[in-house]
C-alpha cells in the first residue's frame, strides 16, 4: 500500500506545467537602418499619429518608421514596446504592440 502511495505522489509531483515560452521577436529583413519615411523627413508628427491610431502591424510600423532604437518585452505581459529616439525632443517615443497579433495596441508619440 505504501508503494502505491509513493508512486502516486511521485506522479503528481512530476506533472508540472512547462515554463512559459519566452517572447523572442523573429528576425526580419526589415530591421535595417536604411532610409525610411521618418528618416527622410517625409512624415510630420501628425502623419505618424494618424498612422499609429489605425493599429497597423509591426511590419508596417517598421517599414514606415524604420527599426526601433530599443525594444522592451516581458514574460508576464501580453505586449512589447518599441522605442524610437527623437533628437529634437531628446526623448523616446514608444509604440506598444500585442505579442500574439503583432499589431499596435497603444503608443506615446509626442511632437
Amino acid at each position: 500500500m505504501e508503494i502505491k502511495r509513493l508512486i502516486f505522489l511521485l506522479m503528481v509531483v512530476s506533472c508540472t506545467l512547462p515554463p512559459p515560452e519566452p517572447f523572442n521577436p523573429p528576425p526580419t529583413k526589415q530591421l535595417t537602418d536604411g532610409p525610411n519615411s521618418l528618416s527622410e523627413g517625409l512624415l510630420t508628427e501628425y502623419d505618424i499619429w494618424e498612422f499609429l491610431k489605425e493599429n497597423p502591424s509591426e511590419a508596417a510600423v517598421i517599414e514606415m518608421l524604420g527599426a526601433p532604437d530599443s525594444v522592451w518585452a516581458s514574460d508576464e505581459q501580453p505586449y512589447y514596446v518599441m522605442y524610437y529616439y527623437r533628437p529634437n525632443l531628446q526623448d523616446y517615443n514608444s509604440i506598444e504592440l500585442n505579442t500574439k497579433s503583432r499589431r499596435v495596441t497603444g503608443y506615446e508619440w509626442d511632437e
Side-chain angles (χ1 to χ4, degrees):
M1 187 71 165
E2 288 297 318
I3 292 179
K4 289 182 181 179
R5 286 184 184 170
L6 181 61
I7 292 173
F8 179 75
L9 181 63
L10 286 173
M11 287 175 43
V12 169
V13 170
S14 65
C15 295
T16 60
L17 294 174
E21 187 177 317
F23 171 72
N24 293 317
T28 63
K29 295 178 184 177
Q30 300 164 340
L31 291 176
T32 63
D33 290 332
N36 55 62
S37 299
L38 181 62
S39 67
E40 295 291 316
L42 301 175
L43 296 172
T44 66
E45 302 300 328
Y46 182 75
D47 293 333
I48 297 168
W49 191 79
E50 286 292 314
F51 169 70
L52 293 174
K53 86 175 182 183
E54 294 180 4
N55 302 332
S57 67
E58 175 190 39
V61 170
I62 292 172
E63 184 179 325
M64 177 79 74
L65 304 176
D69 295 300
S70 64
V71 177
W72 175 87
S74 168
D75 290 335
E76 290 85 35
Q77 301 298 327
Y79 61 87
Y80 59 104
V81 181
M82 297 191 317
Y83 292 96
Y84 289 87
Y85 183 72
R86 306 296 292 154
N88 57 334
L89 301 173
Q90 295 182 352
D91 195 12
Y92 286 89
N93 283 335
S94 61
I95 301 172
E96 178 183 297
L97 295 106
N98 181 285
T99 56
K100 299 258 189 258
S101 68
R102 302 185 83 81
R103 296 191 77 76
V104 172
T105 57
Y107 55 91
E108 180 229 326
W109 201 273
D110 301 324
E111 291 187 41

